[in-house]
Amino acid sequence: MHMNYTKSLVRGSGIVFVVTILAAILGYILRILLARNLTIEEYGLFYAVFAFVNVIASFRGFGVGQALIKYIPEFKLNKKYSLIKKGVVYYFSLQFISFIIMIGVIFLFADKLAVNYFKDLTSVNILLLLVLASTFAIFESLFHVLFLGYKKSGHYAFTTFFQMLLVVIVTFILFRVGAGYLAPAYGYLIASIISGMIYYLLFRRISPQFFKAKFSFDFKFFKKLTLFGLPLTASAIIGSSIGQLDILILTYFTDLKEVALYSIALPISMLLRQLSKSISLIIIPISSEIYMKNKELLIEGIKNIHKYVLIAIIPIALVMAIFAPLIISIFFGDKYLGAVWTLRILAISAIFYSIAYVNANILLGIGRPGLNARIMVGLSLIALVLDLFLIPFYGIIGAAFGVLIASFVMFFVSLVYMKKNINYILSIDLFMRLFVLGGLFLVLISLLRYLPFVNIWAEIFVLAIFGGLFYSFGLFLFKIISIDEIKILIKRIF
């Protein structure tokens, strides 16, 4: 990939990845805080309601936000700030109107949901607070689109981190003053209000021209955004609710303890997806530009993206699978060890999910929103059908296998679409070499664990050093990367 594009992609996705990881760590701190201050049933109840509200909230916007992320760079380049303003006002209006309708329905049926679905009357208070928080989160969604459209990946990442920091701080204070099971719900509500005001001030500094631009009703332009966004509506809904749908089905077919265990395993495994998501946020506008100029350059870039994503994710997924009992016990407590095998299965599924997710967003960037939707919708429909068959009999293990099988299928489907549309073929040889190296890495780590260690931290230190050196050496030995390649990459970035 050309030097400027490589630098933009690596630096942009690198910033997003690092700050998103920090935000994810804060998210885990929040979950640890909840696990230590709530009963396992209260923990499960909160995340059951949280998943329900998130799935409902994902219906707003009708894919127009993704359309704006694609078109804003073009409008900004041509100084058409009035078009950006029209698009933003239209996007906000769609979200606001659709969400007001949804809020009314939820408020009307809150008591029935508490009795017949959540099976706990205390869920009403949590539900109402989180619905209010989601209303203010409309502004968060709006400014995220603007930051990404303006290619301000650092601002986007900062806002994610800042909001989660606020949630953790407010929730901690509320636990201390005795708010009990309502503390996290109030935490999200207060954080949504404060962060919305901060995002507004940030964007005013980035684009004063936006606020000076005039707005006028433009049906033709709104239609253009809607037609581009509609195929992405299902994709956006599914993409934001993958995992959440599992929790909704678990809530219906099992008990709150099972929901709590899955709500421990799922977010830990999702740490592995952050790299692919960070790259995807940056690659949509970049792939669009490269595709118009040089398709061969785009294929070269995709080849490298796939390789480095797999290099990073495979060893982490394997380590997560091996140390699942330790990770859960240290951070959440022994009462959540029932989530060990669920975490192991979800960690492996993240390898296939990550490549499928990157491919879906590349197809979106080159103007194939329908294919993007097919991949994301297909992923969730397969998982949904499998959940309905497996969860009633196998609980959280069934849910995890549903995600693994769906991710594996859509991994291959996304590669078929890449071959048909840009003539890109993933190197099977490279893929197999990485998995062989990963297998050897897994054997080494397993053998080293039999050595006598003073304590668990000494064991982790030794395994990290020897495992890391072995894996790094193996990358060169198996000719997955070379010294010259590293030199070129460093030169392009810096």
Side-chain angles (χ1 to χ4, degrees), residues 93-110:
S93 301
L94 281 177
Q95 289 195 91
F96 186 75
I97 294 170
S98 60
F99 206 65
I100 287 296
I101 295 170
M102 292 175 196
I103 288 174
V105 174
I106 290 174
F107 271 65
L108 187 64
F109 294 101

Side-chain angles (χ1 to χ4, degrees), residues 142-345:
L142 182 68
F143 287 113
H144 278 177
V145 165
L146 286 168
F147 291 143
L148 289 172
Y150 274 73
K151 297 184 181 180
K152 299 294 182 180
S153 53
H155 288 74
Y156 168 83
F158 167 76
T159 56
T160 304
F161 173 82
F162 178 75
Q163 183 175 20
M164 186 50 64
L165 179 62
L166 280 176
V167 175
V168 171
I169 292 172
V170 174
T171 302
F172 176 79
I173 293 171
L174 290 173
F175 271 132
R176 290 300 177 188
V177 299
Y181 73 95
L182 290 177
Y186 274 115
Y188 273 100
L189 175 58
I190 294 169
S192 295
I193 296 170
I194 296 173
S195 57
M197 293 186 289
I198 299 297
Y199 300 165
Y200 169 76
L201 295 174
L202 275 176
F203 188 67
R204 280 199 73 93
R205 293 172 61 91
I206 292 172
S207 182
Q209 302 95 332
F210 171 84
F211 294 94
K212 295 175 183 177
K214 294 182 179 180
F215 171 79
S216 60
F217 189 86
D218 189 337
F219 178 79
K220 186 177 180 180
F221 177 63
F222 296 158
K223 182 180 178 181
K224 176 183 178 180
L225 291 178
T226 305
L227 290 176
F228 186 92
L230 272 177
L232 300 175
T233 304
S235 177
I237 292 168
I238 296 300
S240 63
S241 58
I242 290 174
Q244 308 288 348
L245 289 173
D246 295 344
I247 294 175
L248 293 185
I249 298 170
L250 282 165
T251 302
Y252 183 80
F253 284 109
T254 65
D255 55 32
L256 292 175
K257 183 178 179 181
E258 288 277 287
V259 174
L261 293 175
Y262 196 78
S263 298
I264 290 291
L266 180 65
I268 298 174
S269 68
M270 288 186 72
L271 179 67
L272 295 167
R273 302 178 184 181
Q274 294 303 329
L275 178 60
S276 61
K277 288 190 175 183
S278 301
I279 290 172
S280 296
L281 289 170
I282 309 302
I283 206 170
I284 293 174
I286 290 178
S287 59
S288 176
E289 186 175 342
I290 300 176
Y291 183 70
M292 297 301 295
K293 294 180 178 179
N294 190 332
K295 293 182 182 179
E296 294 301 319
L297 191 63
L298 178 62
I299 291 173
E300 178 195 344
I302 296 169
K303 186 185 299 182
N304 287 326
I305 289 169
H306 281 173
K307 180 165 71 173
Y308 291 118
V309 166
L310 289 171
I311 286 173
I313 285 180
I314 287 174
I316 300 173
L318 294 175
V319 167
M320 189 175 287
I322 294 171
F323 289 100
L326 184 64
I327 293 169
I328 293 173
S329 180
I330 288 177
F331 294 108
F332 298 97
D334 291 345
K335 64 183 178 181
Y336 291 100
L337 284 175
V340 166
W341 277 101
T342 303
L343 174 56
R344 285 171 170 164
I345 297 166

Side-chain angles (χ1 to χ4, degrees), residues 115-166:
V115 173
N116 299 313
Y117 180 67
F118 298 112
K119 307 174 188 72
D120 192 316
L121 287 174
T122 58
S123 64
V124 172
N125 294 328
I126 300 174
L127 180 61
L128 298 182
L129 288 171
L130 288 181
V131 165
L132 287 175
S134 292
T135 305
F136 287 102
I138 289 174
F139 294 97
E140 174 195 349
S141 172
L142 182 68
F143 287 113
H144 278 177
V145 165
L146 286 168
F147 291 143
L148 289 172
Y150 274 73
K151 297 184 181 180
K152 299 294 182 180
S153 53
H155 288 74
Y156 168 83
F158 167 76
T159 56
T160 304
F161 173 82
F162 178 75
Q163 183 175 20
M164 186 50 64
L165 179 62
L166 280 176

Side-chain angles (χ1 to χ4, degrees), residues 13-56:
S13 59
I15 291 170
V16 174
F17 177 66
V18 171
V19 182
T20 303
I21 288 296
L22 292 175
I25 291 171
L26 286 174
Y28 301 137
I29 291 173
L30 176 67
R31 288 175 181 267
I32 293 168
L33 189 63
L34 268 59
R36 301 292 183 179
N37 287 276
L38 299 175
T39 67
I40 191 169
E41 288 77 16
E42 287 174 336
Y43 185 94
L45 177 62
F46 175 78
Y47 281 106
V49 178
F50 189 79
F52 179 82
V53 173
N54 275 349
V55 171
I56 295 297

